[in-house]
Amino acid sequence: VGSGESMTLTDTTKDTGGGSAGPSTTRYYFSANTTLDASDTMLGSRSVPALATGGVSTGPTTVTLPAGVVPGTYYLLAQADADGAVTETYETNNVGYLTVKVGPDLVESALTLPKTASAGSSFSVTDAAKNQGGGGAAASMARFYLSTNATFDASDIPLGGRGVGALAANGTESATTTLMMPAGTTVGTWYII
């Protein structure tokens, strides 16, 4: 999901104790870790009706993530009986969580090119840039490099690039780009990154 965007959570609250539980509230928090503490941001809540022993209540709640969240991996915490209204056998097992990725995450999902190219000649590469993140990505660049190995580093030779338009979450843009093999490139195995 993107920073400042809404999402719908569905949780199930269950009475696993030996007696019935009165009405309670489940609250949702946005957190940098899996532990509920004072630094977490409350996102919303859901009323849970009285539950018989073994009874469950499942329901959706729409929450909005805080604006300005730096892209990364975070946690959504759900706390059953958040107000402590129900006296329970165990009070320490009321928090569950799930992982959520916030913001864009750009990757190259495909790259095709000819198996051979001569020094000083042009050749075409087709790539697919994908936003595998949960938030939209602004326009960016895909750049291509000539390398002696499959690892990108400062010694790689820039060959060119192409503009990539803005990509929605899970959006992909493919394009073909003409590049030039540098004159004087020695014969051997090279990598295009």
Side-chain angles (χ1 to χ4, degrees):
V1 70
S3 175
E5 293 182 355
S6 295
M7 63 188 302
T8 300
L9 306 174
T10 300
D11 81 275
T12 299
T13 301
K14 181 176 183 178
D15 179 359
T16 60
S20 60
S24 64
T25 300
T26 295
R27 283 208 172 79
Y28 309 98
Y29 298 87
F30 182 74
S31 181
N33 55 51
T34 60
T35 304
L36 179 61
D37 58 40
S39 68
D40 299 331
T41 303
M42 190 184 77
L43 301 177
S45 63
R46 176 177 81 84
S47 295
V48 176
L51 297 173
T53 302
V56 298
S57 170
T58 300
T61 303
T62 300
V63 299
T64 302
L65 292 188
V69 174
V70 175
T73 300
Y74 295 91
Y75 301 90
L76 293 175
L77 310 177
Q79 182 186 28
D81 190 27
D83 297 328
V86 178
T87 302
E88 301 176 63
T89 306
Y90 298 103
E91 297 284 355
T92 58
N93 63 352
N94 288 6
V95 178
Y97 70 90
L98 59 85
T99 305
V100 62
K101 291 183 179 181
V102 176
D105 183 11
L106 298 174
V107 296
E108 281 290 321
S109 61
L111 179 65
T112 58
L113 57 140
K115 297 292 182 189
T116 60
S118 302
S121 69
S122 64
F123 62 99
S124 294
V125 298
T126 301
D127 77 300
K130 179 177 182 179
N131 177 8
Q132 66 182 12
S140 62
M141 289 289 295
R143 298 197 189 278
F144 305 97
Y145 297 85
L146 182 65
S147 180
T148 58
N149 56 51
T151 303
F152 178 70
D153 59 42
S155 68
D156 297 335
I157 302 163
L159 297 177
R162 72 170 183 93
V164 177
L167 293 173
N170 293 312
T172 301
E173 179 184 289
S174 297
T176 299
T177 306
T178 301
L179 303 174
M180 181 72 69
M181 184 65 69
T185 302
T186 58
V187 174
T189 300
W190 291 85
Y191 298 83
I192 301 296
I193 297 177

